[in-house]
Amino acid sequence: MTAPVPAGERTTPPGARAAGRWSALLRSRSGAAGLALSSLVVVATLVSFAWTPYDPSRVSPRESWAPMSWEHWFGADRLGRDLLSLVLAGARATLLVSAAATVVAAVTGTLLGAAAAITPRWVRAPAGHAVDALIAFPTLLLAMVLVAVYGAGTETAVLAIGLGEGFFVARVMRAEMARVLAADYVLAARAGGASTWRIFHEHVLPGVLPTLTVLLSLVMAVAVLAEAALSYLGYGVPSGTPTWGRMLHDLQAQITVRPLVLVWPGVAIVATVLGFNLLGDGLREAGDPRVRRS
């Protein structure tokens, strides 16, 4: 027996639904602004792999604290390194670590959410309590524990941020999966003898995917902040790798005499976090007709 699908899915082709959401995203002010900001950051990161004005590790004592000019658009730091080159190079590590942590959060959150929503009660109840307990565990504290065990590094930062945010994703996914499981077409699939895996694969995952997409854009914004904080504290990527958080740490001693040099990594962090947050709001508006009509 084939389970029925929701009326909206029967009457609207998948391609048309995707095109409609994309159009709604572009019509949304927050969505368009978030897409523009996040795209700018991603493009700048990709460009940095092929080109930067100077070698980020290039030291030139004669250009120490060089002001903004055509040679150094953002100026130079105490060692004469070009700040624009450092900001571009810092985007690589910051976004790559944040993106990898978001993938870890997506996998962890989806699996834990499924364990707390779909499995038999003797598994579901302990999994739900575990998610409620783990969500209270701070990401920075988790990073410190992992650093104490494995040492500081990129993998440690990715794991700490991914697990910390994954517990939050799991709590949302548990509620969303429970909502989908209560739908009439899922009950019909159960009555037709569909297996738990088939219900999860064919009904639950497609049903929670829009919410998961919105959630992951917000997780990406939080991951950027978390990576910057870990790098600032020395728990992030190796010390020789430029990151925005490490730039803030290295330049903070000059905040009273050369405050402008801290603006650039700070603006990069704010623009990236704001972009992904606005993109998440736009995706939520595009996926929820009730929000678009309000």
Side-chain angles (χ1 to χ4, degrees):
M1 176 177 177
T2 302
V5 296
E9 293 186 10
R10 290 199 303 266
T11 58
T12 307
R17 291 199 303 272
R21 291 193 184 105
W22 177 255
S23 177
L25 174 64
L26 294 180
R27 289 196 303 269
S28 167
R29 292 182 179 178
S30 58
L35 185 63
L37 274 176
S38 55
S39 297
L40 178 63
V41 173
V42 171
V43 168
T45 302
L46 295 176
V47 168
S48 71
F49 282 100
W51 174 86
T52 55
Y54 297 91
D55 183 349
S57 61
R58 170 182 173 268
V59 174
S60 178
R62 290 182 301 175
E63 297 177 297
S64 177
W65 301 122
M68 291 186 295
S69 63
W70 287 110
E71 289 76 19
H72 300 284
W73 287 11
F74 289 179
D77 66 1
R78 179 176 58 87
L79 299 176
R81 296 177 298 182
D82 181 64
L83 288 177
L84 175 57
S85 301
L86 287 173
V87 169
L88 289 174
R92 303 175 201 166
T94 300
L95 287 193
L96 287 177
V97 168
S98 301
T102 301
V103 172
V104 173
V107 174
T108 302
T110 302
L111 293 179
L112 284 177
I118 299 176
T119 55
R121 182 175 179 81
W122 64 272
V123 176
R124 185 169 67 247
H129 294 318
V131 169
D132 291 336
L134 291 171
I135 199 173
F137 205 72
T139 300
L140 289 180
L141 181 58
L142 178 61
M144 293 178 185
V145 172
L146 292 176
V147 167
V149 177
Y150 300 107
T154 303
E155 296 80 4
T156 303
V158 169
L159 190 61
I161 298 171
L163 290 179
E165 295 305 312
F167 303 145
F168 169 71
V169 173
R171 188 170 190 180
V172 177
M173 285 296 98
R174 178 181 63 176
E176 284 296 303
M177 289 179 183
R179 176 186 61 80
V180 173
L181 288 170
D184 291 340
Y185 62 94
V186 175
L187 297 177
R190 288 186 187 275
S195 65
T196 301
W197 167 249
R198 183 178 177 183
I199 291 174
F200 176 72
H201 181 262
E202 295 185 2
H203 299 292
V204 175
L205 275 184
V208 302
L209 188 58
T211 301
L212 182 61
T213 302
V214 174
L215 193 59
L216 292 183
S217 66
L218 302 178
V219 167
M220 182 71 179
V222 175
V224 170
L225 275 178
E227 193 284 328
L230 291 177
S231 294
Y232 181 88
L233 295 172
Y235 298 133
V237 299
S239 58
T241 305
T243 66
W244 295 335
R246 181 164 291 111
M247 287 182 66
L248 290 175
H249 177 271
D250 294 342
L251 296 171
Q252 67 175 345
Q254 306 298 323
I255 191 171
T256 56
V257 291
R258 300 182 186 274
L260 190 60
V261 296
L262 279 86
V263 168
W264 309 119
V267 165
I269 294 172
V270 170
T272 305
V273 173
L274 180 62
F276 283 109
N277 275 328
L278 290 176
L279 181 60
D281 289 342
L283 289 171
R284 180 179 61 85
E285 294 173 9
D288 192 341
R290 295 170 299 179
V291 177
R292 293 202 299 269
R293 288 195 296 264
S294 61

